[in-house]
Amino acid sequence: MMSRVKKGMIAGFSATLVVSILEAVNVFGGPWFTPFPHIVAFMMGMENNLLAGWIAHFVIGTLVLGTLFGVLSPRLPTDTWATKGIVFAVGALIVLMVGIFLFGDPKMFSGADGFGTLAWLLITHVVFGIVLGSVYGNLMAREKRHAKEMAGVARVPCLYG
């Protein structure tokens, strides 16, 4: 039996991996929009260190958001796991935007790609939420199936204590 936190971390890593593929296409194919790892590196004060942004992106997606989703998912207001993930990820985007506008530099969203970057962040967070919720829901369903299968199994007494 796996804890909700562990399931959330596995789902968070999976979702971060999928979004990282989208971000890699944006970084290496364009960049058409300001990539999320660049925004994270900028907020950490390392605007020229994209590697630090990528590392922070994986840490935040896996450890912070995955763990929080594992804890908060039963309390989210929707019925399906994918929509729970979307609600959670869009909420995380709102917290990110408030953080940028309060503590960061909101000028990073001005200029030619300002609205495009906000739209890109919304799209990638929705994708993150869909993957996060779907993977978490699959892990929950697998555990329920396993518990149901094990319910009919007779217990064998242990001879060694």
Side-chain angles (χ1 to χ4, degrees), residues 71-131:
V71 171
L72 297 176
S73 60
R75 295 173 189 87
L76 292 173
T78 62
D79 294 331
T80 66
W81 288 109
T83 54
K84 285 178 183 280
I86 293 171
V87 167
F88 178 79
V90 170
L93 175 63
I94 292 169
V95 169
L96 170 71
M97 293 285 96
V98 169
I100 288 174
F101 289 120
L102 288 178
F103 305 111
D105 187 7
K107 291 184 226 167
M108 73 176 13
F109 296 114
S110 63
D113 68 337
F115 178 74
T117 299
L118 289 175
W120 176 252
L121 286 172
L122 179 62
I123 290 167
T124 56
H125 275 78
V126 167
V127 169
F128 179 87
I130 291 169
V131 175

Side-chain angles (χ1 to χ4, degrees), residues 2-108:
M2 195 181 323
S3 72
R4 289 189 330 208
V5 170
K6 189 182 276 187
K7 287 182 204 131
M9 289 173 62
I10 292 169
F13 179 78
S14 302
T16 303
L17 192 61
V18 169
V19 169
S20 294
I21 293 169
L22 293 174
E23 289 291 354
V25 170
N26 180 33
V27 168
F28 298 116
W32 301 288
F33 311 107
T34 305
F36 184 67
H38 177 74
I39 293 170
V40 172
F42 184 83
M43 292 215 35
M44 293 186 318
M46 302 178 184
E47 53 271 349
N48 294 326
N49 192 347
L50 200 54
L51 179 63
W54 280 103
I55 291 169
H57 172 60
F58 267 94
V59 168
I60 291 167
T62 303
L63 298 179
V64 177
L65 295 179
T67 300
L68 280 174
F69 185 75
V71 171
L72 297 176
S73 60
R75 295 173 189 87
L76 292 173
T78 62
D79 294 331
T80 66
W81 288 109
T83 54
K84 285 178 183 280
I86 293 171
V87 167
F88 178 79
V90 170
L93 175 63
I94 292 169
V95 169
L96 170 71
M97 293 285 96
V98 169
I100 288 174
F101 289 120
L102 288 178
F103 305 111
D105 187 7
K107 291 184 226 167
M108 73 176 13

